[in-house]
Amino acid sequence: YQLIETYTPRPEPPLSCPIVALAGTADPEAMVTEVADWAGHTTGVFRLRCFEGDHFFLVPHRDEVLDAVAAAVCDTGPVRPAPPR
């Protein structure tokens, strides 16, 4: 808990990889609108998947969450070389 209370992110350019975010529709700790803000951290595809429930939505939706994660991992899209730095 100390880490999360003292962490300050450094400004970095957005990633180019896809981001899939999962959220609970009634989560007071990570509201859907806040989770949707992850879209700004990639120039790639962003997908937001919402599940009914609070911060622990993954417990009653275990199978759906696992399917969503598996689909995201398997849906890597075309392989592109990394841009030069």
Side-chain angles (χ1 to χ4, degrees):
Y1 288 109
Q2 184 178 6
L3 177 64
I4 198 167
E5 291 175 5
T6 60
Y7 175 73
T8 304
R10 293 180 289 170
E12 297 283 341
L15 302 169
S16 61
C17 64
I19 293 178
V20 176
L22 308 178
T25 56
D27 185 348
E29 300 296 320
M31 297 173 63
V32 172
T33 54
E34 295 170 327
V35 175
D37 288 343
W38 277 93
H41 293 278
T42 185
T43 59
V45 173
F46 175 79
R47 290 188 180 101
L48 175 61
R49 178 81 189 269
C50 297
F51 296 88
E52 286 190 31
D54 59 16
H55 197 65
F56 298 99
F57 66 87
L58 56 98
V59 174
H61 297 286
R62 178 183 178 266
D63 291 340
E64 292 171 89
V65 168
L66 291 173
D67 287 346
V69 171
V73 170
C74 292
D75 184 21
T76 57
V79 176
R80 296 182 291 226
R85 289 186 167 240

